[in-house]
Amino acid sequence: MRLLVTGGCGFIGSNFIRLVLREHPEDEVINLDKLTYAGNPTNLREVEKDPRYSFLKGDICEPSDVEEAFSLRPDAVVNFAAETHVDRSIISPEDFVRTDVLGTFRLLEKARESGVRMLHVSTDEVYGSIEEGSFKEDSALRPNSPYAASKAGADLLVRSYVRTYGIDAVIVRSSNNYGPFQYPEKVIPLFVTNILEGRKVPLYGEGRNVRDWLFVEDNCRAIDLVLRRGEAGGIYNIGAGEEKTNLELTRAILEIMGVGEECIEYVPDRPGHDLRYSVDSSRVRSLGWSPRRDFMAGLRETVRWYSDHREWWEPIKSGDFRRYYLEKYGDI
Ligand code: NAD
Ligand code: TYD
């Protein structure tokens, strides 16, 4: 199969491309990525010489870029490309509406024209917050941040193309991912690298918010399974069932890294901060998927990766990101 992967230079996309090339020797991958601040070609250094891999720099919102990618005749498209950080969506929502909604629309138009399967990577955040129980795939979407609302717009557009035009599309709604190559604006790599730099970790509010942590490789395996075996028009939640409060998560990181609670700096809460995300993943589990990494093992592996790959994250944290960090957190 020849796959067109969008956003393949980001965190999950790069892990997905490595997994596909490793597990499916017959497959080819075309990676269409705009290389925003979050896109890093070195994430794919391991495969860049593989003749089955090719890279196209381009924007999913630009019809000519999407046209060029589809002219390479992919058999399926997997859409990871998005603006992804909730805090940035609160500061500047426009990029989110553009890429996450308009970009998905452009891909849907080409999927409709060419008849290829499209797997759209959505998020558990489209459902909004839930105090008890877990969302099922047919639960209402009640997004609360500009990021989540943009992702919900895209998700609903995909649904409308299935219903109206009968395209072959599948949607995955994954919970919070963690693991190697995650940009250090997200909580786990931010906290781990801050500790490696001798800084404190900025914990929002009282640290009571709950997220369900999914190791990135487990998510990629689920996405790959849904791509190949998911029912046309199907929606699949993906979660590991590893729910932790942010304070529990932070304490686990501190314990692994051998530092104490004095490293926590409680900072003002995020506006509109969703209290808890939780999805029921029985549908994807019935296809034969289950997570392989338990939380502490995955977290240890992640801490080790950031400790061993300072050359990956130090240039990010000392570059443009530094200004963003200082404006947001001050000198923590
Ligand atoms: P990321 O921010 O690490 O990477 C995004 C990638 O998309 C980057 O390589 C960037 O250059 C590229 N990109 C951005 N705008 C583009 C555009 N207009 N055209 C082409 N490429 C563009 O993101 P991630 O964490 O890997 O997330 C990937 C997908 O998974 C996103 O759709 C996100 O909403 C979804 N998701 C992420 C998580 C998570 O925990 N990280 C959880 C659930 C769902
Ligand atoms: P994040 O990694 O931004 O993912 P998301 O908002 O998509 O769930 O944040 C995960 C949780 O960690 C979320 O509840 C907010 C919290 N958080 C902090 O407490 N401090 C931080 O500096 C960041 C970035 C997040």
Side-chain angles (χ1 to χ4, degrees):
M1 189 149 73
R2 182 178 297 156
L3 295 182
L4 170 61
V5 174
T6 71
C9 291
F11 165 49
I12 308 177
S14 62
N15 278 284
F16 179 76
I17 290 174
R18 266 192 304 280
L19 177 99
V20 166
L21 292 174
R22 194 170 65 233
E23 307 239 317
H24 303 286
E26 306 297 313
D27 281 7
E28 295 170 27
V29 173
I30 304 152
N31 173 15
L32 174 67
D33 195 300
K34 185 182 176 185
L35 299 182
T36 67
Y37 78 93
N40 184 345
T42 71
N43 292 359
L44 286 164
R45 190 165 283 156
E46 196 183 307
V47 300
E48 69 192 4
K49 294 209 171 66
D50 189 324
R52 297 175 298 142
Y53 171 74
S54 54
F55 175 64
L56 272 181
K57 183 171 181 326
D59 183 340
I60 59 165
C61 303
E62 282 300 329
S64 56
D65 292 350
V66 175
E67 182 78 41
E68 188 187 345
F70 273 83
S71 73
L72 300 171
R73 299 196 159 278
D75 302 303
V77 50
V78 183
N79 181 30
F80 290 98
E83 290 293 335
T84 61
H85 190 34
V86 173
D87 292 339
R88 289 188 195 251
S89 84
I90 295 169
I91 300 165
S92 49
E94 190 165 340
D95 290 344
F96 288 73
V97 177
R98 182 176 182 275
T99 289
D100 301 10
V101 183
L102 178 65
T104 302
F105 160 72
R106 297 268 185 248
L107 296 171
L108 283 166
E109 280 289 283
K110 289 304 292 184
R112 168 156 88 105
E113 192 185 299
S114 63
V116 305
R117 166 163 276 206
M118 173 157 157
L119 184 146
H120 175 69
V121 180
S122 187
T123 165
D124 63 354
E125 302 194 27
V126 297
Y127 295 114
S129 191
I130 186 166
E131 293 215 355
E132 276 172 28
S134 302
F135 290 116
K136 286 187 169 297
E137 286 84 352
D138 60 359
S139 299
L141 306 192
R142 293 194 179 86
N144 293 315
S145 69
Y147 163 66
S150 304
K151 292 295 292 185
D155 189 311
L156 292 172
L157 265 178
V158 177
R159 174 190 159 92
S160 77
Y161 271 61
V162 170
R163 294 286 172 126
T164 306
Y165 305 112
I167 72 161
D168 176 5
V170 282
I171 294 174
V172 293
R173 295 182 183 146
S174 309
S175 68
N176 283 67
N177 279 223
Y178 69 104
F181 299 99
Q182 187 168 30
Y183 195 83
E185 66 192 351
K186 306 283 168 40
V187 72
I188 291 181
L190 179 73
F191 283 16
V192 171
T193 58
N194 269 21
I195 292 170
L196 289 169
E197 292 176 310
R199 295 179 192 281
K200 294 190 172 191
V201 300
L203 185 58
Y204 295 164
E206 293 168 13
R208 288 190 309 114
N209 306 69
V210 174
R211 299 290 183 265
D212 174 7
W213 291 101
L214 173 62
F215 193 69
V216 63
E217 196 180 289
D218 284 325
N219 186 34
C220 291
R221 280 184 201 288
I223 293 172
D224 191 47
L225 184 64
V226 171
L227 173 67
R228 288 157 212 273
R229 304 250 307 279
E231 183 195 345
I235 301 175
Y236 295 84
N237 291 336
I238 309 174
E242 296 272 21
E243 292 188 25
K244 311 284 169 225
T245 66
N246 289 338
L247 184 56
E248 287 168 339
L249 167 71
T250 305
R251 286 185 168 144
I253 294 172
L254 300 184
E255 186 199 316
I256 292 171
M257 301 190 74
V259 293
E261 299 242 344
E262 68 283 357
C263 289
I264 301 177
E265 176 97 8
Y266 288 90
V267 299
D269 211 348
R270 167 189 285 171
H273 195 173
D274 283 331
L275 182 63
R276 175 171 174 261
Y277 297 137
S278 182
V279 288
D280 178 333
S281 314
S282 41
R283 190 161 190 216
V284 71
R285 286 171 194 256
S286 71
L287 287 182
W289 176 83
S290 59
R292 295 183 183 175
R293 272 318 179 298
D294 94 286
F295 174 69
M296 281 309 279
L299 194 59
R300 274 201 194 87
E301 192 174 330
T302 304
V303 169
R304 199 174 324 116
W305 190 86
Y306 284 91
S307 313
D308 292 347
H309 292 85
R310 295 184 84 112
E311 80 294 347
W312 184 85
W313 58 266
E314 278 178 346
I316 297 174
K317 284 192 100 176
S318 59
D320 289 348
F321 182 75
R322 185 84 201 119
R323 190 152 33 88
Y324 165 83
Y325 183 93
L326 282 171
E327 270 170 25
K328 188 171 166 199
Y329 300 111
D331 200 21
I332 294 172

